[in-house]
Structures are given as C-alpha cells and as structure tokens.
Amino acid sequence: MNKLTLLTLLGFFLFTANTNAQSRDFDGIWSGTMTTSNGDDSELTLYIEDNNVYSVYIDEDGDRAKYKMNEVIWSKGYGEQISFVWMNKGGVWTETQMYSIVWLDSDRISVHHLRHVSNEDEYDTNTDWGYTSEGILRKE
C-alpha cells in the first residue's frame, strides 16, 4: 500500500470517527432534584467523564468523587444525549435503573429515569414494582 492510499484511508477514518463523536461536553459533576411519577422528590448527583457515568460520594478530603460500586453496565453518548444502565442485586431483590440524559446548555442537563425492581417470593415466583422520575441537574 502506498503512502497516499494510507493517508487517504487514515483521513477517511478520522473524518468518520469525528462525525459520530459526542457533540456536547457532559464532563463534570451534575446535581439536582428528580421528581418521581408518584410525586416524591429525591436528590441525584452524577459524575460524568468521557461519556462514562458514575455515582458520587464524599471522599476522605470532603470532596465529591466518582463512586464505582454502582457499576454502570452500559453507557453511550451520541450527539446531545447520553444513556446509561446499571443493575444491582441484594438478598431477594434485583433492580435495573435506566437513565436518558439530554444536554440543555453548559450548566443544565435534563434527566429521565426508569427504575424496575423484582423481588423473589416464597412461592418460587417474582413480584415487581417500579417508577419513573425526571428532573434538571445543574453543573457544580
């Protein structure tokens, strides 16, 4: 393969990669209030870095830091959106939480959330429950 062909292929690859890239910068710590479908409010704080989303905790210095215990099993950013899913299990319950995030401006993101929980019961079946929530998070 000659140099011109190699440079042309490299240029095409870089152009294609850039056209599919994230067009907004979500990096940072975002926090705000989410309102559930039954009217309850809860606080949500997210740490976003390179389209990867983490929960947040307070470290030993009193600073907010990314918390890796709630493992995000899928995270994808495209255009003005990031979506992510995490799952958790404890005892007789299992839960899935799904989030869809839209970049509104450099200080605000809109979040829609779905939580679905299943519980094993004594009859070798499962029961389930869930809710949705939504809110605006602001960049700290």
Side-chain angles (χ1 to χ4, degrees):
M1 183 179 296
N2 66 38
K3 288 182 184 179
L4 181 58
T5 304
L6 182 60
L7 288 174
T8 302
L9 287 172
L10 180 61
F12 177 76
F13 173 76
L14 291 174
F15 173 77
T16 303
N18 285 336
T19 59
N20 291 325
Q22 183 74 35
S23 63
R24 302 295 185 183
D25 182 10
F26 285 86
D27 286 0
I29 296 177
W30 302 83
S31 61
T33 302
M34 301 288 289
T35 303
T36 66
S37 50
N38 60 6
D40 294 331
D41 288 338
S42 63
E43 297 301 312
L44 177 64
T45 302
L46 300 175
Y47 187 117
I48 303 175
E49 181 179 65
D50 296 327
N51 291 334
N52 294 305
V53 183
Y54 304 92
S55 297
V56 175
Y57 77 103
I58 306 298
D59 67 14
E60 53 275 349
D61 297 326
D63 298 323
R64 291 183 183 227
K66 56 186 165 185
Y67 181 65
K68 296 182 179 180
M69 290 297 290
N70 292 336
E71 182 183 358
V72 172
I73 61 170
W74 179 83
S75 181
K76 176 72 175 167
Y78 187 78
E80 294 76 32
Q81 295 192 17
I82 290 179
S83 295
F84 71 97
V85 175
W86 70 271
M87 298 179 81
N88 197 6
K89 181 163 180 60
V92 298
W93 57 269
T94 304
E95 73 174 308
T96 301
Q97 295 198 35
M98 296 173 270
Y99 294 79
S100 176
I101 302 170
V102 171
W103 191 93
L104 298 176
D105 58 42
S106 60
D107 295 318
R108 298 175 306 136
I109 57 176
S110 172
V111 179
H112 286 253
H113 164 249
L114 168 70
R115 182 179 184 200
H116 194 195
V117 180
S118 62
N119 297 290
E120 296 174 15
D121 65 21
E122 60 190 79
Y123 304 107
D124 198 29
T125 60
N126 285 336
T127 59
D128 76 312
W129 58 274
Y131 62 83
T132 60
S133 64
E134 61 183 72
I136 303 294
L137 305 185
R138 297 192 176 276
K139 193 169 193 177
E140 294 186 5

